[in-house]
Amino acid sequence: LARLFARPANLLVLDEPTNDLDIDTLDLLEELLTEYPGTILLVSHDRAFLDAVVTQSIAFEGKGHWVEYAGGYSDMLAVRERQRAVQADSSQSPGSGERSKAAKPAGGNGASAPAPRTKLSYKEQRELAELPGRIEALETEQKTLSAQLADPATYGAETSRINQLHSRFADIEEALMHALERWSELESKTSA
């Protein structure tokens, strides 16, 4: 791995890079991968590692069908759960049986028409365009706060200052999760 990061490249392909790594080395690997300027194709069973590193996931859905999701493993699960809930709601709504029968193509082969693609509103398009910048700003501030909180000199300061740092860190974490969920939601709308 050290040789990989020492050579200039714009593409890395990693298969289970977390195997047999201790915690410190795993943290270093996560940091290096998040700062990597190129593209990384990564296969791993370590879900926490995937959530910490990846920005897009490609998941096998069966029968030769692959689906791309924005975000890590947890984001993919959240999108799948929302899709299942929407499908369950639409199949349980009253009168859905008559509507689905009427909506079937006249060809009689039983194949359903692909779902119409949802368009984002202008406001949603602008929000989607601004989200990566907002996420990056939050992550930068979070790294700065982490460095301050990791510095022993910080704990020589007033308790109120330390509490402010911890409080702001928690606020950033919440805002970051909200922004990532919203990004995933808007991305799934465009690829649905």
Side-chain angles (χ1 to χ4, degrees):
L1 284 175
R3 275 192 272 156
L4 279 177
F5 286 110
R7 294 184 192 163
N10 63 357
L11 175 68
L12 287 179
V13 180
L14 303 173
D15 183 18
E16 297 291 347
T18 60
N19 283 358
D20 303 322
L21 295 181
D22 62 0
I23 302 279
D24 293 334
T25 310
L26 182 59
D27 289 341
L28 178 62
L29 178 63
E30 281 183 14
E31 183 180 327
L32 289 172
L33 291 178
T34 55
E35 293 172 1
Y36 185 73
T39 300
I40 301 169
L41 299 177
L42 173 67
V43 177
S44 180
H45 288 89
D46 187 342
R47 297 171 182 177
F49 178 74
L50 291 173
D51 282 338
V53 174
V54 304
T55 57
Q56 290 190 324
S57 302
I58 300 174
F60 181 67
E61 301 290 328
K63 297 182 182 177
H65 186 66
W66 294 83
V67 177
E68 183 177 355
Y69 296 94
Y73 185 79
S74 298
D75 299 319
M76 178 197 65
L77 289 180
V79 170
R80 281 182 174 174
E81 190 60 36
R82 279 192 296 255
Q83 288 172 344
R84 285 188 188 116
V86 167
Q87 288 175 350
D89 287 346
S90 66
S91 67
Q92 293 176 358
S93 64
S96 65
E98 293 101 32
R99 278 195 306 253
S100 64
K101 287 177 187 173
K104 279 191 180 177
N109 63 359
S112 62
R117 195 174 198 153
T118 15
K119 288 192 110 184
L120 295 178
S121 68
Y122 176 73
K123 183 179 176 183
E124 289 175 326
Q125 288 174 354
R126 285 190 54 208
E127 183 182 5
L128 182 60
E130 293 170 358
L131 275 171
R134 188 178 339 149
I135 290 169
E136 185 176 347
L138 287 169
E139 287 175 339
T140 301
E141 187 177 355
Q142 187 179 43
K143 282 183 183 180
T144 303
L145 284 175
S146 291
Q148 289 176 352
L149 290 169
D151 184 10
T154 302
Y155 295 94
E158 298 176 16
T159 308
S160 62
R161 173 74 177 135
I162 297 168
N163 290 339
Q164 286 175 344
L165 290 174
H166 281 288
S167 175
R168 180 63 187 147
F169 190 85
D171 291 345
I172 289 172
E173 186 69 28
E174 185 177 331
L176 193 55
M177 291 309 296
H178 177 72
L180 289 170
E181 285 176 8
R182 184 63 178 153
W183 183 41
S184 177
E185 180 182 323
L186 291 173
E187 280 286 325
S188 68
K189 273 186 170 182
T190 62
S191 63

